[in-house]
Amino acid sequence: MQAIKRFSAPCIAQLQAEILDAGGNEVFVLGFLDKTGLVTTLEVSARGREDRVLAVDKRLEAADVFIHNHPLGLLTPSDADLAIAARAAQAGVGCFIVDNQVEQVYVVTEPTKKRILTKLDAGVIMTALEEGGAIAKRLPVYENRHSQLELMRLIIQGFNEDALVAAEAGTGVGKSFAYLLPALTYALANDERIVISTATITLQQQLYEKDIPLVVSAIESMEKKDKKEKKLKVVLIKGRGHYLCHRRLKEALQEQRLLDDGEYQDLQAIRAWTQTTKTGSRSDLSFMPTEEVWSRICAEADCCMGMRCPEREVCFVLALRKESADARILVVNHHLLFADLAARHEGAGYNHTVVLPPYTRVIVDEAHTVEGAATSFFSQEFSHLGISRHLGRLYRHTRGGSPLGLLPSLASLVSAESRLETLEAAIGLIRDTAEALNFSALEFCHTEGVFRLTPSREKSIHGFLVPPLTALRQHITAFTGRIREMLEQVDPQDADNAVVWEVRALLRRLDTIGTICTAFIEFRERTAEVLWIEGHFRSSTGASKGSWAVFTVSPIDVAPSLKDALFVPHKTVICLSATLTVADSFAYWHARCGLSLVRDRQVLTGQFPSPFPYASSVLLAIPQDAPLPDHDQYRTFVDQATVALTQCAGGSALVLFTSYEALRSAYTAAVPILEQQGIRCLKQGDDDRNRLLKTFLEDEQSVLFATDSFWEGVDAPGNTLRLVILCRLPFRSPHEPVFEARCEALQRQGANPFMELSLPESVMKFKQGFGRLMRRSSDHGVVVVLDGRVLRKQYGQYFLRSLPKTKTSFKDFASILRQTEGFLYP
């Protein structure tokens, strides 16, 4: 076919020039059609070889046709051409081949006519949240919230204009409904898949079980009125480790003689549960099995046999994949989202199922956690305890001395039982080396609990850490090499044996530990990463017996990865949280999550204040006579002030600290006084987090002493919580390894680490802590900050300016105590 029938004359000339400029070699081009079907716009994507087309995936879906030339003039498509055409066709994109003169064109596949997307009608959608609307009628108590409607308007704009959105929605705005209604309506109208990602599995389940069904019901009622009723499929997806593997459960039960009575009873109960559960999700169990038991039977990816598995017909994970294949809303958590994005960014592409089915739009709830979640996902770690578990799965003895584990089974498959003695000796060598490394590492951690590898410590690192690290890597490499030799001898008929798959999975985990050892040995060359060791001591004396060290490698800067994997490839990304700004500016969050690096995309932002009556219902109190945290009387002041304030409130208090040491001190001082008065004292670490919160919520005369994770995610409305004490501004420890490395990186760039990292990070966490008090519009209470820096340091204004307007009391502590009592009991 003549090229002029498919290309405009200017496009032919442009393509000729591009091919000439490439020396007549292959050029890969994206083409865009006009209304008549002619290619009128070109975008060069790659040059040189077919494999360069991998780089095109990110932009492929935006084009109408994929074009490349055959330098020899023979236009018949090769196998590689057909593979490229197939990939393009999955994105609805055609494929053309031209000669170098662009005189002839071979149409491999015709371009699919682009769908005209239905834009959201803000007026229609927003009526659902107004009084008498489809959602408002379904709520037990309806409150008209102007900020919620304005937030929804911004999100609708983000969908309609393919924009990136960052929105801060204060407590009580109702951000879930504000994004669910537009997202579900858009997915239904345009048959597009949208991913909704939350920070925790608890939030996932709340959306899936409570909020989404209500919104779906509202949308369906609106559809019926318009006589356009459609069904919207929503699927909740967790990481594979949350689901049971039938095959691994059966294998675990076959090893009864290795299990204690409690473990065997748990496994029997889980087997009975498999007859009734529809999901196989751990959260559906009526009891909580130990981590060791669950890790033995969960559906971990590297142990999965896929379609070769004898239990594939009843596999919970495969059933979930089938369910999600035609779902239009996927509810995931951040860790799972990053697993999918990382695989796509590293080459899997954006048009196929990877961890998740392909999608074009993403909503990120609790977006203030994105940097931390991404850092966690891209980090790697090991300890000698983990090594011991892996080795125990491979080879161990029964109480009677008989060999058990995967290696004896593998040896039996290949008739290599004679090698077991050598392998057992190799395992003993790895264990001994790992324990020696653990002992050396703990010695480095005694002072501060953590030890970061830096050039200034190179001499001691090379003297005491590198030798055992090198030895461990060598022993692991030699050991895994011997096992791989055995695997090569496995008969093809036994290739699908579960033992073979489990052994391969454990070898990959041991290989990863070897890779981490290499990173620590070559730490001077790892300029984009931070490497550190954290000691976990069994006793306060720091004794090494029973203690263990964790070796961790983390990225210093995740912003470029988030930009490339999350923001650039997707049409719409909506990021929401109650805390995204510092002093009314999004600059800090934009910089940390990579949004500030995005070019040529529309970025919409908005702040939507809480509708709660903070000005009349909350008293913010900061004692002027509080000693500064570096004063030797500060801890005594906090301990005494905590007791006095909680007595005054009669319990119903959450006391938040920045260190366990300070927490223990205040708790120890408070218990004998408060419990004598019938006020129950609860301490983080004494029980499971969920059970601890449940106990706190059920007892209005209780006080919860907590740190770190309890600064957010605590929802205690009503009289359960009337007093929040923030003992100290939540600045990160300057010696925390990742934080320290990020500060140094900012310094090298000529920036001020305190103003650009330390202060804004602390302000955002401070806002989270403050937000624990007011969870409903009828709530009423006091927030007391026992850190004098808020009033005496210039930067204290950043903290105050980031809070909603409240009643305030900046007086001496005695006056604050009287005002607290008067405010709580008017």
Side-chain angles (χ1 to χ4, degrees):
M1 182 187 297
Q2 291 181 327
I4 195 66
K5 293 183 178 180
R6 293 288 183 148
F7 296 86
S8 68
C11 269
I12 290 176
Q14 181 185 351
L15 193 49
Q16 288 171 336
E18 292 288 353
I19 294 169
L20 183 64
D21 190 51
N25 293 311
E26 283 189 286
V27 177
F28 300 93
V29 180
L30 299 178
F32 300 85
L33 307 180
D34 64 7
K35 293 181 180 179
T36 67
L38 279 182
V39 177
T40 55
T41 305
L42 298 176
E43 180 181 312
V44 178
S45 294
R47 298 177 176 84
R49 303 185 304 272
E50 279 92 343
D51 59 2
R52 296 289 180 89
V53 76
L54 290 171
V56 179
D57 268 0
K58 295 177 187 176
R59 285 280 297 145
L60 189 61
E61 192 174 305
D64 294 304
V65 62
F66 185 65
I67 307 157
H68 75 285
N69 60 304
H70 274 192
L72 298 179
L74 183 64
L75 302 190
T76 302
S78 64
D79 289 343
D81 293 328
L82 293 174
I84 292 171
R87 292 174 64 183
Q90 287 185 336
V93 177
C95 186
F96 295 175
I97 301 173
V98 298
D99 59 5
N100 274 15
Q101 292 73 41
V102 199
E103 295 174 348
Q104 299 293 318
V105 58
Y106 186 101
V107 178
V108 184
T109 53
E110 290 284 0
T112 302
K113 186 177 181 181
K114 294 291 183 183
R115 290 186 302 119
I116 299 175
L117 296 176
T118 301
K119 292 195 174 185
L120 297 174
D121 187 326
V124 171
I125 293 175
M126 291 172 68
T127 57
L129 273 175
E130 293 173 349
E131 189 169 2
I135 287 181
K137 288 191 296 186
R138 286 167 169 77
L139 295 173
V141 178
Y142 171 74
E143 295 179 28
N144 189 295
R145 301 172 183 177
H146 175 73
S147 52
Q148 184 183 49
L149 295 174
E150 290 306 304
L151 171 60
M152 188 187 293
R153 192 186 301 279
L154 180 72
I155 291 169
I156 290 171
Q157 183 183 355
F159 276 105
N160 286 343
E161 299 178 8
D162 291 350
L164 307 176
V165 178
E168 182 178 73
T171 305
V173 166
K175 60 181 169 65
S176 296
F177 288 140
Y179 68 70
L180 285 175
L181 190 54
L184 272 59
T185 303
Y186 193 92
L188 197 61
N190 295 295
D191 196 31
E192 278 197 24
R193 184 177 290 111
I194 298 172
V195 168
I196 300 173
S197 182
T198 69
T200 66
I201 289 173
T202 301
L203 290 173
Q204 268 186 275
Q205 293 185 175
Q206 179 182 319
L207 283 174
Y208 182 74
E209 296 169 4
K210 182 182 175 184
D211 296 342
I212 289 178
L214 191 150
V215 174
V216 168
S217 173
I219 291 175
E220 287 177 350
S221 71
M222 294 163 68
E223 289 284 320
K224 285 178 182 177
K225 288 181 181 179
D226 295 336
K227 298 181 181 179
K228 297 186 299 183
E229 184 178 359
K230 300 178 186 176
K231 290 294 182 182
L232 182 69
K233 189 171 182 180
V234 181
V235 173
L236 181 147
I237 307 177
K238 305 172 190 175
R240 295 182 59 118
H242 292 275
Y243 299 96
L244 177 77
C245 172
H246 284 283
R247 175 184 64 78
R248 301 188 81 204
L249 174 62
K250 285 185 176 181
E251 291 170 5
L253 284 165
Q254 290 169 3
E255 298 181 343
Q256 179 180 350
R257 50 189 174 152
L258 288 177
L259 305 169
D260 61 39
D261 291 341
E263 290 174 334
Y264 187 68
Q265 288 172 7
D266 280 354
L267 290 174
Q268 288 285 18
I270 291 171
R271 179 165 66 176
W273 168 73
T274 62
Q275 304 304 309
T276 58
T277 178
K278 294 180 179 179
T279 67
S281 172
R282 183 181 185 179
S283 62
D284 291 349
L285 277 166
S286 59
F287 67 97
M288 189 62 65
T290 65
E291 193 61 39
E292 188 169 347
V293 167
W294 185 256
S295 66
R296 177 69 184 83
I297 60 175
C298 66
E300 292 174 306
D302 58 358
C303 294
C304 180
M305 296 178 66
M307 297 311 294
R308 296 181 177 87
C309 180
E311 304 293 330
R312 62 185 176 276
E313 295 300 325
V314 291
C315 176
F316 293 116
V317 172
L318 286 179
L320 184 63
R321 283 202 166 200
K322 290 176 185 176
E323 277 291 295
S324 61
D326 61 345
R328 285 298 166 260
I329 299 293
L330 303 179
V331 183
V332 306
N333 56 61
H334 295 345
H335 188 87
L336 191 63
L337 175 66
F338 291 139
D340 185 75
L341 293 176
R344 294 182 187 281
H345 181 54
E346 289 167 7
Y350 290 82
N351 303 310
H352 320 283
T353 294
V354 185
V355 177
L356 303 172
Y359 47 92
T360 54
R361 303 178 197 271
V362 185
I363 293 174
V364 182
D365 201 350
E366 300 299 313
H368 66 280
T369 65
V370 162
E371 183 187 22
T375 301
S376 175
F377 176 79
F378 290 109
S379 295
Q380 292 182 309
E381 66 179 35
F382 80 87
S383 70
H384 87 289
L385 297 178
I387 293 174
S388 183
R389 280 195 299 270
H390 297 331
L391 296 177
R393 286 278 296 121
L394 288 167
Y395 193 89
R396 59 202 183 279
H397 291 280
T398 65
R399 295 181 182 91
S402 301
L404 266 181
L406 294 167
L407 289 186
S409 300
L410 177 63
S412 178
L413 276 178
V414 298
S415 301
E417 288 88 349
S418 60
R419 301 186 192 180
L420 288 178
E421 188 175 341
T422 302
L423 291 173
E424 184 178 11
I427 286 175
L429 197 56
I430 294 174
R431 287 187 192 275
D432 292 344
T433 308
E435 288 177 7
L437 174 61
N438 185 64
F439 181 82
S440 295
L442 290 172
E443 290 296 311
F444 280 90
C445 297
H446 271 155
T447 305
E448 295 170 350
V450 294
F451 177 82
R452 179 182 163 214
L453 279 68
T454 61
S456 63
R457 295 167 164 173
E458 186 171 16
K459 187 175 179 180
S460 58
I461 292 168
H462 277 283
F464 298 98
L465 281 179
V466 169
L469 281 165
T470 303
L472 180 60
R473 180 182 63 177
Q474 290 173 345
H475 295 326
I476 287 175
T477 302
F479 175 66
T480 56
R482 290 192 186 101
I483 299 176
R484 287 192 169 95
E485 289 174 3
M486 293 173 65
L487 288 170
E488 289 173 2
Q489 297 171 22
V490 172
D491 190 290
Q493 293 182 343
D494 294 321
D496 291 342
N497 189 299
V499 169
V500 174
W501 285 77
E502 293 278 341
V503 168
R504 291 189 190 281
L506 286 167
L507 292 187
R508 285 191 290 270
R509 295 178 192 182
L510 290 172
D511 288 340
T512 298
I513 292 171
T515 300
I516 298 172
C517 288
T518 299
F520 271 78
I521 294 166
E522 300 172 352
F523 77 96
R524 287 295 300 264
E525 301 168 25
R526 304 280 178 147
T527 55
E529 296 168 324
V530 53
L531 299 92
W532 84 95
I533 306 165
E534 183 173 5
H536 296 261
F537 296 98
R538 287 289 190 187
S539 68
S540 58
T541 61
S544 296
K545 187 175 181 180
S547 303
W548 70 97
V550 178
F551 294 74
T552 306
V553 183
S554 291
I556 294 176
D557 187 4
V558 296
S561 297
L562 287 171
K563 181 206 77 171
D564 293 336
L566 176 60
F567 294 114
V568 171
H570 299 103
K571 292 179 180 178
T572 301
V573 181
I574 312 283
C575 297
L576 307 102
S577 172
T579 51
L580 288 185
T581 67
V582 175
D584 298 326
S585 170
F586 284 91
Y588 166 74
W589 185 80
H590 279 188
R592 301 311 307 172
C593 74
L595 196 53
S596 62
L597 303 175
V598 176
R599 301 289 181 266
D600 304 321
R601 289 290 303 274
Q602 184 181 15
V603 178
L604 306 174
T605 61
Q607 286 179 274
F608 305 91
S610 170
F612 291 166
Y614 284 93
S616 60
S617 298
V618 176
L619 172 67
L620 173 66
I622 307 173
Q624 290 179 328
D625 53 351
L628 294 179
D630 58 358
H631 194 280
D632 57 6
Q633 291 299 309
Y634 174 71
R635 178 165 295 179
T636 301
F637 169 77
V638 169
D639 293 351
Q640 294 173 349
T642 298
V643 172
L645 287 164
T646 51
Q647 278 182 303
C648 173
S652 305
L654 174 64
V655 190
L656 293 171
F657 300 85
T658 58
S659 76
Y660 284 100
E661 187 179 356
L663 183 156
R664 284 191 293 267
S665 176
Y667 177 82
T668 302
V671 167
I673 302 172
L674 296 182
E675 296 205 338
Q676 190 176 14
Q677 298 178 23
I679 298 173
R680 186 176 184 181
C681 294
L682 305 169
K683 175 166 65 74
Q684 181 181 350
D686 284 351
D687 201 348
D688 169 77
R689 175 189 165 94
N690 290 332
R691 284 195 294 269
L692 196 64
L693 280 175
K694 186 173 183 291
T695 303
F696 177 62
L697 292 171
E698 292 174 348
D699 187 349
E700 290 187 6
Q701 285 188 299
S702 64
V703 178
L704 176 56
F705 294 76
T707 184
D708 198 30
S709 63
F710 283 77
W711 283 70
E712 55 183 282
V714 176
D715 191 8
N719 289 333
T720 300
L721 182 57
R722 292 175 295 169
L723 171 66
V724 173
I725 303 174
L726 307 180
C727 295
R728 187 167 180 163
L729 295 178
F731 284 107
R732 193 92 70 93
S733 166
H735 302 298
E736 194 276 318
V738 175
F739 177 77
E740 185 179 46
R742 286 173 175 168
C743 286
E744 291 169 359
L746 287 169
Q747 281 181 318
R748 288 193 295 271
Q749 297 166 16
N752 183 332
F754 180 77
M755 295 303 295
E756 295 198 23
L757 180 60
S758 182
L759 179 60
E761 182 183 74
S762 180
V763 169
M764 288 181 70
K765 190 160 187 175
F766 179 79
K767 289 169 68 177
Q768 286 285 339
F770 176 89
R772 295 315 93 209
L773 179 69
M774 198 82 172
R775 308 306 298 172
R776 303 290 185 273
S777 60
S778 57
D779 286 351
H780 172 261
V782 179
V783 177
V784 182
V785 184
L786 299 178
D787 192 330
R789 290 176 294 181
V790 179
L791 300 179
R792 293 184 228 170
K793 298 292 185 180
Q794 190 172 356
Y795 59 73
Q797 289 302 309
Y798 282 90
F799 292 90
L800 296 176
R801 284 169 51 196
S802 294
L803 299 179
K805 290 184 178 180
T806 66
K807 291 182 178 296
T808 58
S809 176
F810 304 154
K811 300 178 180 179
D812 62 272
F813 182 73
S815 298
I816 284 175
L817 203 58
R818 289 192 295 272
Q819 281 187 276
T820 297
E821 184 174 11
F823 192 80
L824 293 177
Y825 303 101

